[in-house]
Amino acid sequence: MTPPPDTLTPTTSGVPRFTRAERWIHRTTAFLMGVCVVTAGCLYLPELAELVGRRELVVRVHEFAGLALPVPVLAGLFSRPFRKDLGHLNRFGPHDRRWLRAALRRDRHPASRPAAKFNAGQKIYAAWVAGATLVMLGTGLLMWFTHLTPLMWRTSATFVHDWLALTLGIVLAGHIGMALADPESRHGMRTGRVSPDWALREHPLWRPDERP
C-alpha cells in the first residue's frame, strides 16, 4: 500500500534531518551559550568566583561571548535549509495546539502529539530563547556602555539581565535534560540523520519535501 503524500516515507538508510551547516550553527550557538552561562556563574556565585579568580578576564569573556551569540544564526541565513527550518519553527498550526493540549495533560501517547519537523514544544522553546537572547544582548550593552545611559536605565537593565539570565539557565537545563532523555534526537543533531521508526513516531506529519 502506498503511503499518503503527507507522511514521511521510511528508508533503510535513515532519514536526513539536519545539514552540516545546521549542525554547526547549533553546536557553535550551544558553545557560546555555555560560555555565557559558566562565566555568569563565576561572576555571581561567590564559591565559583573565589575558585576561578581573575574577575576582569571573566567579565571580558562573558561580554564577548554574549556579543558573538547571534553570529552563528546570522551566518546561517546564508544556508537555504536553515532558512527553511526557521520558517517551520515560525509556523504554528492546529496540530501544534493539539500537541500542547496533550503535553499539558501529560498524555505521552504518540498519536496524541502530532508534529511536523518540529513539535510545538520545540517551536515555543526556539522563540523564547531567541527573544531572551535579544533582551540579554540589549540589557548587556546598556550595562557595558555605562556612560551612554542614565543611572535608572542601567539599574533597570541590570535587574532584567540578572533575572532573565536565571530563567534562561533553568530553561536551558530543561532543554538539556530532554535531550539526554532522547538518544535518537541527539543522534540526529550529531550525525544529521534519524531512524525511520523514530521519525514516524515522533514527527508523523513531517513531509519528505521538508528534508534538508
Side-chain angles (χ1 to χ4, degrees):
M1 179 178 179
T2 303
D6 61 343
T7 58
L8 184 63
T9 305
T11 62
T12 56
S13 60
V15 180
R17 183 162 174 80
F18 297 115
T19 63
R20 181 177 299 177
E22 291 174 299
R23 301 197 302 276
W24 176 86
I25 294 166
H26 184 269
R27 291 168 185 167
T28 308
T29 302
F31 172 77
L32 291 171
M33 186 70 77
V35 171
C36 288
V37 170
V38 171
T39 52
C42 293
L43 292 173
Y44 285 95
L45 298 177
E47 296 81 6
L48 290 178
E50 293 176 5
L51 180 65
V52 176
R54 300 180 65 86
R55 181 178 178 84
E56 187 64 25
L57 176 61
V58 174
V59 169
R60 293 293 169 258
V61 172
H62 182 79
E63 290 171 341
F64 285 104
L67 285 176
L69 196 53
V71 173
V73 174
L74 294 176
L77 295 177
F78 290 98
S79 167
R80 185 174 178 272
F82 180 68
R83 294 197 307 271
K84 194 170 184 180
D85 276 354
L86 288 180
H88 297 322
L89 286 168
N90 287 330
R91 287 196 293 269
F92 210 85
H95 61 280
D96 293 310
R97 289 189 285 273
R98 182 180 170 189
W99 190 98
L100 283 177
R101 286 194 295 268
L104 292 173
R105 296 195 308 268
R106 298 183 180 275
D107 182 354
R108 298 184 179 278
H109 196 276
S112 303
R113 297 192 178 193
K117 185 168 186 180
F118 302 103
N119 62 45
Q122 292 168 328
K123 293 178 180 180
I124 292 174
Y125 169 79
W128 192 91
V129 169
T133 300
L134 291 177
V135 174
M136 294 288 287
L137 180 60
T139 53
L141 289 172
L142 289 177
M143 296 163 60
W144 191 355
F145 298 102
T146 57
H147 61 287
L148 296 180
T149 55
L151 177 60
M152 182 176 293
W153 287 24
R154 299 197 303 271
T155 303
S156 301
T158 302
F159 177 83
V160 173
H161 194 88
D162 291 353
W163 281 102
L164 187 56
L166 177 61
T167 307
L168 186 58
I170 295 172
V171 172
L172 288 174
H175 176 69
I176 294 171
M178 295 186 70
L180 291 175
D182 191 346
E184 186 67 30
S185 180
R186 298 199 312 274
H187 178 79
M189 186 54 70
R190 187 174 64 254
T191 66
R193 304 181 75 85
V194 294
S195 70
D197 290 342
W198 181 88
L200 288 169
R201 183 179 69 252
E202 300 293 335
H203 301 271
L205 303 182
W206 180 13
R207 298 183 180 183
D209 61 2
E210 292 181 353
R211 299 175 187 173

